[in-house]
Amino acid sequence: MVKVCVIGSGVTGLVMVKELLESGHEPVCFEATGVIGGLFSYSYEGLYLTSSSHITAFSDFPPKCEPCIWKAGEYVDYLKDYCKEFDLMKHVHFNTKVISVQRMKEKPGASYWVVATETASGQQAHYFDYVVVSTGTNNVPKRWKYDGQDSFTGTVMHSGDINDFAPFDNKKTLCVGMGESGADIILHIAQREGASVAMSVRSSPGWITPRYRANMPADLMTNRIVWGLPRRLGAWLGWLISLSDIQQSDPVVRKAGEINLENKTTELGLFGTFGTKTTNGIEAMLNYGAEIKGDVRSVGPGKRVTFKDGSTMEGVDYVVQCTGFEPTFRILEGGCPQEGAIENDAVMQQVCKDVCNVRRGLYKHALHPSLGSRLLFAGFVRPGFGAIPPLAEMQARWYVAMLDGKAQRPLPSREEMLESIAADAAGEESMYRKGPGVRIASLVDYMVYMNDMATRIGCMPPWWRLLFSDPVTLWTIFTGPLSGTQFRLAGPGAKPSLARAILRNYPSFFPLKRLAVISAGLWVWSGLINLLLLPFPSSTPLLGPLKETFKPVGFSDSRYVYNSRARALPPPSSNSASNSAASSSAAAASSSSSSSAASSSSSSAAAAAAVMPVITHEYAAEAARERVEGEDPALQKRAQWAAHIASKASASASG
C-alpha cells in the first residue's frame, strides 16, 4: 500500500481515487472548492456535454438512462452517484487548496513529496510517496488582450464568466471562436429577446457533426467498426458522410455537410482533425441571422471591432471569448518553500517547462521521464472524437497496475520513454499535420489511445476466446460505443460478469443506417485491397508500404500514425514486480552516468526503428520537411524532432 496525493476532485481525480482504493492504496484527494465535478459544477444553466451518456460513463458504473446527451447538472448527479457507490467522498478534503508540490531531500525512510495546502484555518504540510495532478487541461480561462482594448467601451469577457444569458437581451454580441462551447453559446445568445450576434472564426472549426442522428446520440458511431478503418480511408469516410448529409431534409445538417465537404485543412477527413460535436453555430446562422466574421484585429475606440480583413462591426456591447481553457502548474514551481524540500529543484523546473506541451513533454501524455511514476498528470488528453472520462479511467488503471507491479508492460527506462515520446509525437503530428488539430498538444486518437493503455495494462479484449465462447459479447464490442467496459473482460481490474452484462445492454450504432452502410462499404473495399496485397511481404517496394497503410486499426498496440499501427516498444527485460518502483526512483534521481548514456545512445536507433513502420518513416520525414520550410517558427523544433526520429529509423531499416 502506498500513500498517493490526488489534486482535484473533477472527473479524473474521482476515478483515480476509486481505482487506488480498489487496489488497496491510500489516496488523499485535495479539492480547492466545496463540490466535486470541476467545471461542470460551475457551468451556465443549459450546458450540454458533447459526448453521450454511454460513451462518457465509467466502465463499471453504467448510466441508468437511455442513450442521451447529459446536461452538466445531470452529469454531476451521475458523479455524485459514482462517489456514493464506491464510497469516495470521505477521501476528498474540500475547500483545501494545494499551494505547492515539492520533492523532499533524500533521506532513509522519508517521503518523496511534501504537499503544502491552505484552508480557512491556515497552511499545512502533508507527505506522500506519489502525486497525481488531476486538474486537467481546462483549468484557467484562456483570455486574449486585443489591440486598443483600453479604448473599448463595451465589455470583453470569457465564456467561463457566463452564468446566465439574460444580460445579452437587446444587446449586440461578438463571439470569438466556433468550437463546441462557442457554438452552443452563440445559439443561446441568438435566442435571447432582441439580441444580435456575430461569430469571429479564424480557422477551421474541425469536423462538424450533430449531437443526434436518427433520434440517437451521433457518437454511437465511435466504435470499432468505424474507428477500426485504416486511417488512410478517413478522407473517403468523411467525403461519403458529407455527401450523405447534404442530401438530408434538415437544413442545418445539410449546411454542416457542405462545410465539411469544403474543409480542405486535413487529408485524413474526420480522422485527421477534432470533432465539433454540435451544429448549434450553424443553427444560429440559419435560423437567427448570426453573421460570420473573420479574425479580430482590434477593439475600440468606443464599441467598434475591427477585423483583419479591414471590415468593422459597430455598436458591439459584448465581446465573448470562446477561446477555451488552459492548464496552470504554479503549484509545481517551488513557491511556498517547505522544510526538507529540495531548493531550486532543476528537475521540477524542467517538468514545468515540458508539461506545457504534453505531446512533446510527457510519456503517454501522463508521465515525465525524469520522475517516472512518482508524478502523474491525469486527464491531459483530448480525443478528437470520444470522451475524456474513459481515457482518464484507463490512465488510472494503468497507473495503479504499475504501482502494483501487475502491468503487462512495466514502465520503461528514461531513455526508452524519451524515444517513445518522440515517436508518438511524430506520429500524432503526421495525423493532424494539415488540420487545426496540430495546434492542440493534448489531442489524441481516441481508440488508439484506449488500446495503447490497454496493451500496457494487459486488458485488451480476448478476441479469439470471445469468438468461440461468447460471440454475442464480441459483436457488441464492435457495434456498440467504444466505452471502457470492453477492457474489463480480462487482465488487471477485470470484472468480466459485470462487463458482459453492461455490454449486452449497450446500444449498437445500426439505427444510424447511413453510417453503418458507409462503414460496411469501406470495410469491403479495405478487405479486397488487403486480399490482393496478401502475397506481398512488407519489404516489397511500393506494395509493401501500401499494404501497411490498409491494415485495420485497433486490434493490438496501435500508435498515432498516419496510416495504420506500429509495433510498440518492447518491455524492459527486468521483471514486472520490481521495475515500476526501480524505474521511478532511478528516473527521479536523474542518475544518467556516462556508461548508461553510452548504452542508451547505442540502443536509440533500434528503439526508434521499433516504433514506426516504413511508411511512417517516409511520412514523418515529409511532414518534417514541410514544417522546416514553412513560415511558422513555433513548429521548427517539432519538425526537427520528427526528422531526427525518421532519419534514425530509416537508417536502421536500410542497414
Side-chain angles (χ1 to χ4, degrees):
M1 182 181 74
V2 296
K3 192 175 181 181
V4 183
C5 171
V6 179
I7 304 173
S9 68
V11 176
T12 56
L14 292 176
V15 73
M16 180 61 71
V17 170
K18 179 260 186 185
E19 291 298 327
L20 287 166
L21 283 173
E22 281 198 341
S23 196
H25 298 294
E26 183 182 351
V28 178
C29 180
F30 296 121
E31 169 56 48
T33 71
V35 295
I36 64 167
L39 290 176
F40 292 109
S41 294
Y42 295 96
S43 61
Y44 60 83
E45 186 178 355
L47 172 68
Y48 281 88
L49 275 64
T50 55
S51 55
S52 70
S53 53
H54 287 58
I55 285 282
T56 309
F58 292 125
S59 63
D60 52 359
F61 193 68
K64 300 175 182 178
C65 59
E66 293 297 317
C68 65
I69 306 294
W70 276 324
K71 286 186 176 181
E74 293 172 330
Y75 184 48
V76 172
D77 289 340
Y78 168 84
L79 293 176
K80 290 178 180 177
D81 291 341
Y82 182 75
C83 290
K84 183 178 180 180
E85 176 72 18
F86 297 102
D87 198 18
L88 306 183
M89 285 296 197
K90 66 182 181 183
H91 300 279
V92 181
H93 297 251
F94 292 104
N95 300 306
T96 304
K97 181 180 180 181
V98 174
I99 55 178
S100 76
V101 176
Q102 298 168 67
R103 295 197 303 160
M104 295 287 290
K105 296 175 182 177
E106 291 188 23
K107 291 182 180 180
S111 298
Y112 194 89
W113 298 101
V114 55
V115 177
T117 61
E118 185 177 63
T119 64
S121 58
Q123 296 183 2
Q124 186 177 354
H126 311 263
Y127 300 91
F128 296 94
D129 302 308
Y130 300 88
V131 169
V132 176
V133 178
S134 56
T135 52
T137 57
N138 295 333
N139 194 251
V140 178
K142 191 183 297 181
R143 302 179 189 271
W144 294 347
K145 175 75 172 180
Y146 298 114
D147 290 343
Q149 187 167 326
D150 292 338
S151 65
F152 183 62
T153 57
T155 301
V156 178
M157 62 189 304
H158 190 271
S159 59
D161 301 327
I162 298 176
N163 294 317
D164 66 85
F165 294 93
F168 297 97
D169 288 355
N170 302 303
K171 300 294 183 182
K172 193 171 188 178
T173 303
L174 174 69
C175 291
V176 180
M178 195 182 164
E180 290 167 337
S181 63
D184 288 347
I185 287 171
I186 288 164
L187 181 60
H188 278 294
I189 295 175
Q191 292 173 331
R192 300 301 302 185
E193 182 179 354
S196 172
V197 65
M199 60 189 92
S200 169
V201 182
R202 65 171 181 167
S203 62
S204 166
W207 188 271
I208 302 176
T209 182
R211 283 188 170 99
Y212 285 90
R213 291 181 183 272
N215 297 318
M216 295 191 70
D219 68 356
L220 292 181
M221 69 174 283
T222 309
N223 57 33
R224 289 187 176 273
I225 288 183
V226 178
W227 290 89
L229 286 166
R231 293 298 177 258
R232 172 176 278 252
L233 297 181
W236 281 95
L237 177 63
W239 182 68
L240 290 170
I241 291 175
S242 298
L243 284 181
S244 175
D245 283 346
I246 63 178
Q247 305 299 321
Q248 301 306 302
S249 58
D250 186 340
V252 174
V253 175
R254 287 204 308 269
K255 186 63 177 178
E258 292 172 6
I259 293 174
N260 291 333
L261 202 59
E262 295 169 0
N263 189 346
K264 304 298 182 183
T265 58
T266 170
E267 59 192 41
L268 296 182
L270 74 170
F271 289 153
T273 187
F274 56 84
T276 298
K277 299 175 282 293
T278 174
T279 53
N280 282 350
I282 296 175
E283 184 177 348
M285 291 166 48
L286 298 182
N287 298 340
Y288 297 93
E291 299 180 76
I292 296 288
K293 300 290 186 180
D295 200 5
V296 174
R297 173 182 292 168
S298 63
V299 297
K303 293 188 175 183
R304 173 184 295 175
V305 175
T306 304
F307 302 94
K308 289 186 176 179
D309 61 5
S311 63
T312 61
M313 183 175 174
E314 303 287 349
V316 177
D317 298 294
Y318 289 99
V319 175
V320 180
Q321 297 177 344
C322 304
T323 49
F325 295 78
E326 58 188 350
T328 179
F329 305 104
R330 292 178 182 174
I331 60 174
L332 304 178
E333 294 174 354
C336 191
Q338 299 296 306
E339 183 179 353
I342 299 174
E343 299 177 3
N344 300 317
D345 192 339
V347 172
M348 292 304 294
Q349 291 172 6
Q350 187 62 46
V351 169
C352 289
K353 292 179 182 178
D354 292 343
V355 76
C356 291
N357 184 347
V358 294
R359 180 177 287 160
R360 283 291 175 186
L362 299 181
Y363 176 68
K364 303 303 173 188
H365 291 240
L367 299 174
H368 193 277
S370 294
L371 294 173
S373 59
R374 291 290 184 179
L375 178 65
L376 178 83
F377 294 89
F380 286 73
V381 283
R382 172 184 170 178
F385 290 83
I388 292 177
L391 297 179
E393 183 181 40
M394 291 300 287
Q395 285 182 331
R397 292 182 61 192
W398 173 51
Y399 190 58
V400 170
M402 283 192 295
L403 295 181
D404 293 342
K406 296 179 180 179
Q408 180 171 298
R409 296 187 179 179
L411 191 65
S413 68
R414 182 178 184 275
E415 290 74 22
E416 288 176 312
M417 281 194 277
L418 289 171
E419 292 287 354
S420 182
I421 289 170
D424 280 351
E428 288 176 17
E429 288 167 4
S430 73
M431 279 277 292
Y432 304 120
R433 68 185 188 123
K434 287 190 175 180
V438 74
R439 62 181 169 82
I440 304 174
S442 59
L443 193 64
V444 297
D445 185 314
Y446 178 66
M447 188 176 76
V448 171
Y449 192 90
M450 293 278 279
N451 284 344
D452 197 12
M453 288 289 100
T455 56
R456 291 169 200 290
I457 299 168
C459 63
M460 282 290 285
W463 308 114
W464 290 106
R465 191 175 76 200
L466 289 173
L467 177 62
F468 294 105
S469 66
D470 194 355
V472 174
T473 297
L474 182 63
W475 177 250
T476 61
I477 287 175
F478 280 92
T479 62
L482 182 58
S483 69
T485 304
Q486 60 186 251
F487 301 109
R488 291 284 186 182
L489 291 166
K495 300 178 180 180
S497 298
L498 176 63
R500 282 186 171 88
I502 294 172
L503 288 170
R504 291 190 179 198
N505 282 296
Y506 268 24
S508 77
F509 84 130
F510 282 108
L512 307 175
K513 295 178 182 177
R514 294 183 294 114
L515 298 178
V517 170
I518 290 170
S519 302
L522 290 175
W523 271 109
V524 170
W525 183 21
S526 175
L528 290 174
I529 293 175
N530 275 293
L531 189 62
L532 291 172
L533 296 175
L534 187 62
F536 301 97
S538 298
S539 58
T540 305
L542 297 179
L543 292 180
L546 182 64
K547 179 181 179 180
E548 287 293 317
T549 70
F550 277 96
K551 284 185 177 178
V553 176
F555 294 96
S556 62
D557 42 9
S558 306
R559 291 282 181 146
Y560 313 100
V561 293
Y562 166 57
N563 304 308
S564 57
R565 46 185 185 145
R567 298 176 296 279
L569 284 170
S573 57
S574 57
N575 65 68
S576 171
S578 63
N579 184 267
S580 178
S583 63
S584 62
S585 60
S590 296
S591 55
S592 300
S593 63
S594 57
S595 59
S596 65
S599 173
S600 66
S601 176
S602 64
S603 63
S604 61
V611 295
M612 301 174 77
V614 174
I615 188 67
T616 308
H617 303 162
E618 299 171 354
Y619 198 86
E622 178 189 346
R625 285 193 295 272
E626 287 192 9
R627 294 263 192 270
V628 174
E629 293 168 2
E631 298 180 356
D632 189 348
L635 297 175
Q636 299 285 326
K637 191 171 182 180
R638 299 184 193 177
Q640 292 165 2
W641 270 100
H644 171 65
I645 291 298
S647 63
K648 287 200 301 182
S650 297
S652 176
S654 62

